[in-house]
Amino acid sequence: MKIKKNISLKNYNTFGIDVKAKFFCEINSINELEQALQLEDYPKKFIVSGGSNMLFTKNVDALVLYINIKGITILEESNDHVILKVMAGEIWHDMVLWTLDHDYGGLENMSLIPGNTGTAPIQNIGAYGVELKDTFVSCEAMEIGTQTLRRFTKEQCNFGYRDSYFKNKGKGKYIITSVTFKLTKRQHQLNTSYGAIEEELSRKGITKPTIKDVSNAVVTIRRSKLPDPKVLGNSGSFFKNPVLNKTEFGSFIVSHPKAKFYKISDDLYKIPAGWLIEQCGYKGKRFGNTGVHKDQALVLVNYGNATGKDIMGLANTIMESVYETYKIRIIPEVNIIK
Ligand code: EPU
């Protein structure tokens, strides 16, 4: 375990923000993680993994632990299912491709999501009608204070829309070290009801899609809307889609009958924040080093030299504008590191 000083974190966050870590250490095993957490000379520790859901607004005055623990293990298997344990540092999309190569179904709709597997449960990542929680069995996490490993069941994770125990009561207390999934080996449950997937499959003339076909369709759709972080720094959706109750939705839709919305339940309606932001005129607009992506208004981008403060400035302007126009508060989905 080697501790480096004054390391730029530009390559460790998909926004490509150039802040410095006072100290930096790469963690390749559970043992190393335990040892690093016990280093008393560095009382402040900060965890980074895929860096795909964070916005740095200043240098990190701490020992940054970069979680790079690798490994995929089959824990159990029957004719129908496989139980897979994936270590936190596995790159999410590479892991999804590995499951597809083995014809294991369940993760295909979540192809090409940036980030690492260990951070996926924190915000219960999701795309195209599927969320992490749908195939999640449990995860293991090290308690930072005691360096003990603890197993969390699905119920204990308390998953919600882009939400979990780890974003609430468990915030800052644990480092997820592995995630266990239950995937199908046959009779895969395809989820193609999300409009764009069906359109893409029929465009390709595919009538009986395999899980690989669904993944390919998702990859095509994502590439057409979402910028590649290696080319244009970004963190996927910057904001969550706001959820309104029936009364709030009722008055909103009367004043804005053309608005897009999804009914979640009898009492809850989700409004696409991308639509609200586009209506406020921000889609495709550039402000110096930052801007709103031209194909998806929910995505803020770094044109090269933006600081976290530049991006936060634009985010605040957008949030105020949406509130002024629609009286709806949108909030960041990305973790803002202040
Ligand atoms: N829309 C607009 N203008 C825009 C963007 C979207 O009008 O600029 C409208 C679209 O017409 C569409 C609706 O908003 O009717 C929804 O758009 P989209 O399908 O692109 O999905 P989203 O709700 O904007 C969510 C997730 C994405 C995920 C997609 C697909 C959140 C915060 N975002 O976006 O997740 O890929 O659905 O399932 O829930 C992420 O979390 O980083 C992320 C990219």
Side-chain angles (χ1 to χ4, degrees):
M1 221 169 42
K2 201 172 148 203
I3 294 176
K4 299 179 191 165
K5 277 187 192 167
N6 273 328
I7 293 293
S8 167
L9 294 175
K10 192 173 166 71
N11 294 329
Y12 295 93
N13 71 101
T14 60
F15 252 126
I17 305 293
D18 194 5
V19 291
K20 287 215 159 58
K22 192 165 186 189
F23 303 104
F24 181 92
C25 175
E26 181 172 324
I27 302 294
N28 294 299
S29 66
I30 306 264
N31 257 346
E32 284 188 354
L33 180 59
E34 197 178 336
Q35 284 170 33
L37 289 174
Q38 288 168 353
L39 292 170
E40 284 171 5
D41 290 349
Y42 306 90
K44 285 193 269 176
K45 321 253 179 358
F46 185 88
I47 314 301
V48 171
S49 190
S52 62
N53 203 41
M54 46 171 57
L55 178 67
F56 289 110
T57 57
K58 61 176 177 44
N59 290 334
V60 183
D61 179 22
L63 169 63
V64 168
L65 303 180
Y66 169 57
I67 310 296
N68 198 27
I69 310 173
K70 302 280 190 194
I72 303 181
T73 321
I74 294 174
L75 293 184
E76 256 178 72
E77 111 175 85
S78 66
N79 289 335
D80 296 327
H81 292 104
V82 62
I83 308 279
L84 212 62
K85 178 175 173 177
V86 183
M87 301 309 286
E90 288 288 341
I91 296 171
W92 176 266
H93 181 59
D94 292 355
M95 184 276 290
V96 173
L97 292 180
W98 185 95
T99 64
L100 296 169
D101 285 345
H102 289 75
D103 200 28
Y104 299 151
L107 301 178
E108 55 281 358
N109 289 45
M110 293 188 288
S111 297
L112 210 65
I113 295 184
N116 287 354
T117 307
T119 38
I122 298 177
Q123 60 151 342
N124 179 28
I125 62 168
Y128 307 104
V130 174
E131 289 183 332
L132 173 107
K133 71 170 170 50
D134 301 330
T135 48
F136 179 95
V137 176
S138 64
C139 65
E140 274 181 341
M142 189 171 284
E143 192 175 5
I144 295 174
T146 60
Q147 298 94 52
T148 46
L149 270 188
R150 184 178 153 189
R151 182 173 176 270
F152 287 86
T153 62
K154 191 195 284 204
E155 289 65 36
Q156 288 167 330
C157 289
N158 203 16
F159 292 122
Y161 165 57
R162 295 294 191 276
D163 202 24
S164 77
Y165 169 82
F166 301 103
K167 270 184 114 170
N168 295 287
K169 274 192 179 160
K171 192 171 179 175
K173 292 189 187 144
Y174 294 93
I175 299 168
I176 297 173
T177 53
S178 70
V179 184
T180 299
F181 298 95
K182 183 176 183 181
L183 304 177
T184 49
K185 283 175 71 180
R186 58 184 187 188
Q187 292 175 326
H188 302 307
Q189 303 290 312
L190 295 189
N191 196 326
T192 57
S193 55
Y194 194 94
I197 296 188
E198 271 172 2
E199 270 165 43
E200 182 55 30
L201 289 169
S202 67
R203 202 182 60 79
K204 288 182 175 157
I206 298 171
T207 47
K208 285 193 180 145
T210 62
I211 48 175
K212 188 78 191 164
D213 292 329
V214 174
S215 166
N216 288 337
V218 167
V219 167
T220 308
I221 300 163
R222 286 189 79 96
R223 288 214 168 111
S224 73
K225 281 191 178 182
L226 299 167
D228 178 353
K230 287 189 191 114
V231 180
L232 194 59
N234 76 90
S235 205
S237 302
F238 192 91
F239 303 99
K240 283 200 209 190
N241 287 326
V243 175
L244 304 186
N245 66 31
K246 203 173 184 173
T247 320
E248 291 163 338
F249 177 73
S251 44
F252 168 75
I253 205 71
V254 167
S255 339
H256 309 285
K258 288 193 181 141
K260 302 232 163 134
F261 65 90
Y262 314 104
K263 189 171 177 183
I264 309 176
S265 66
D266 279 347
D267 191 44
L268 296 175
Y269 296 79
K270 203 186 260 182
I271 315 294
W275 184 85
L276 297 169
I277 297 167
E278 180 171 351
Q279 298 303 305
C280 290
Y282 287 95
K283 191 170 182 171
K285 289 267 167 70
R286 181 171 175 164
F287 303 84
N289 286 318
T290 80
V292 179
H293 188 53
K294 65 180 185 0
D295 300 318
Q296 165 54 291
L298 207 44
V299 178
L300 303 189
V301 298
N302 171 8
Y303 283 104
N305 295 310
T307 63
K309 290 201 169 92
D310 293 337
I311 291 171
M312 235 7 253
L314 174 58
N316 285 329
T317 308
I318 291 173
M319 288 188 282
E320 280 162 27
S321 172
V322 167
Y323 186 72
E324 282 300 305
T325 316
Y326 293 101
K327 296 287 171 281
I328 291 179
R329 290 200 192 280
I330 56 169
I331 54 163
E333 187 222 66
V334 168
N335 284 311
I336 316 294
I337 315 299
K338 288 177 191 154

